[in-house]
Every structure is written in structure tokens, then in C-alpha cells.
Amino acid sequence: MLLQLAALPAVCQWQWPVKGTMTGENIVSRPQDRIDKELNYDHLFIAAPEGMEVVAPVDGTIGSLGLSAQTSLQRVTAYSNDGGTFDKSRKKLEQEKQLPVPLKYINGDVMLRLADGRKVWIGGLRGDILLKTGQRIAKGQVLGTVAYAYRVIGQPHISI
């Protein structure tokens, strides 16, 4: 009996999330690496110049978005995105006096839900792009720009 190719599931080709760079380029830390004395369990940190575009690596639907400060590799302080853009929400936080880290390290996070149920989190985003939960996102669509995902990494970067 011959297998019909139409019956086989399509292979999902992911795109590198930093626009204009090659797959695997500028990785700062991989899962199971150490950052200072902390074990990086599950993040891929990718460095890029601040302001460089970050794109969806795969088609999905926005499951959640907001602002956060990663105060350790296992601890995150979350902030509301209030339905605006990352930059507008960050501007509101400028008035706060008791932030856990400098505002530089409080940036946007997006969780994409894939059709098969998997989830992809991307952190360290800025930008004036209006995103909403439930919004369908196409692979390659701009989600924001590179900022900072984790306070211990001094150069601009994202986490995925």
C-alpha cells in the first residue's frame, strides 16, 4: 500500500525571531547553560541591537501579553499591558517608585498558542504595535523590537 503525501502532516518550518539575522546567530545562553551562578533551565536568550524587529517564529494566536521583569531565571514580576502597546504601558510605569529592577528591564512578553496546543513565549519586547489576545499572528509578522528580557544580561536581547 502506498502512502499518499496529502495524508502526511505538513512539516512546520520555524523562523528565527530576530529579523535580519541567521538561525542560531547571537545566542547568549541556551537551556542548561549557566548565567552567573544560575542554571538556565528553559530559556533561549538571543542578543541583537536594541530596536531590531522581532517576528513571530511560527503561525499562532496570541494567548497572553503583558509586561514583566525577570528578576531571576525562575522569578518574574508581571505587569498589566492594559490593552495598549508595550511602549505606552511602560510609559505608565515610569511613575512607579518601587520597581524591582530599573525600567530598562521591564518589557513586553507575548505568548503564542500554536494550532497543535503548544505555546511559545517571547520576552524582552518594546514597540508601539497594538496586539490583542485572540489575535491571529502569521509567521514573520512583527511583534515588537529587541529590548531586554533578563536584568543579568547587559546587552540588548530577547528570550524565547
Side-chain angles (χ1 to χ4, degrees), residues 43-99:
H43 298 282
L44 182 63
F45 291 101
I46 304 166
E50 192 168 351
M52 212 163 172
E53 290 183 329
V54 177
V55 298
V58 67
D59 293 341
T61 302
I62 295 179
S64 66
L65 51 96
L67 297 180
S68 69
Q70 192 160 358
T71 54
S72 79
L73 287 172
Q74 284 73 46
R75 195 169 322 139
V76 174
T77 301
Y79 299 89
S80 169
N81 191 25
D82 78 0
T85 67
F86 296 136
D87 287 355
K88 287 179 185 172
S89 295
R90 287 182 77 252
K91 194 138 190 84
K92 288 181 182 179
L93 279 179
E94 284 179 334
Q95 314 311 317
E96 296 284 327
K97 304 290 187 228
Q98 298 289 324
L99 295 173

Side-chain angles (χ1 to χ4, degrees), residues 4-149:
Q4 292 184 2
L5 291 179
L8 296 174
V11 176
C12 178
Q13 295 293 323
W14 288 51
Q15 180 173 339
W16 195 243
V18 179
K19 191 172 183 177
T21 60
M22 300 295 294
T23 300
E25 191 174 348
N26 299 325
I27 295 173
V28 176
S29 179
R30 293 174 172 84
Q32 303 307 306
D33 285 350
R34 291 205 174 270
I35 300 176
D36 283 342
K37 295 180 181 180
E38 288 183 280
L39 180 61
N40 176 11
Y41 288 101
D42 58 2
H43 298 282
L44 182 63
F45 291 101
I46 304 166
E50 192 168 351
M52 212 163 172
E53 290 183 329
V54 177
V55 298
V58 67
D59 293 341
T61 302
I62 295 179
S64 66
L65 51 96
L67 297 180
S68 69
Q70 192 160 358
T71 54
S72 79
L73 287 172
Q74 284 73 46
R75 195 169 322 139
V76 174
T77 301
Y79 299 89
S80 169
N81 191 25
D82 78 0
T85 67
F86 296 136
D87 287 355
K88 287 179 185 172
S89 295
R90 287 182 77 252
K91 194 138 190 84
K92 288 181 182 179
L93 279 179
E94 284 179 334
Q95 314 311 317
E96 296 284 327
K97 304 290 187 228
Q98 298 289 324
L99 295 173
V101 296
L103 184 61
K104 169 182 175 176
Y105 297 107
I106 301 174
N107 292 294
D109 295 311
V110 173
M111 184 271 283
L112 294 177
R113 184 170 289 124
L114 283 55
D116 63 7
R118 290 180 293 167
K119 298 174 184 174
V120 176
W121 283 267
I122 302 173
L125 303 173
R126 289 196 191 145
D128 275 325
I129 299 168
L130 183 60
L131 300 171
K132 296 185 177 202
T133 57
Q135 178 180 346
R136 291 186 190 270
I137 299 293
K139 177 173 75 172
Q141 185 173 340
V142 176
L143 299 173
T145 61
V146 173
Y148 294 86

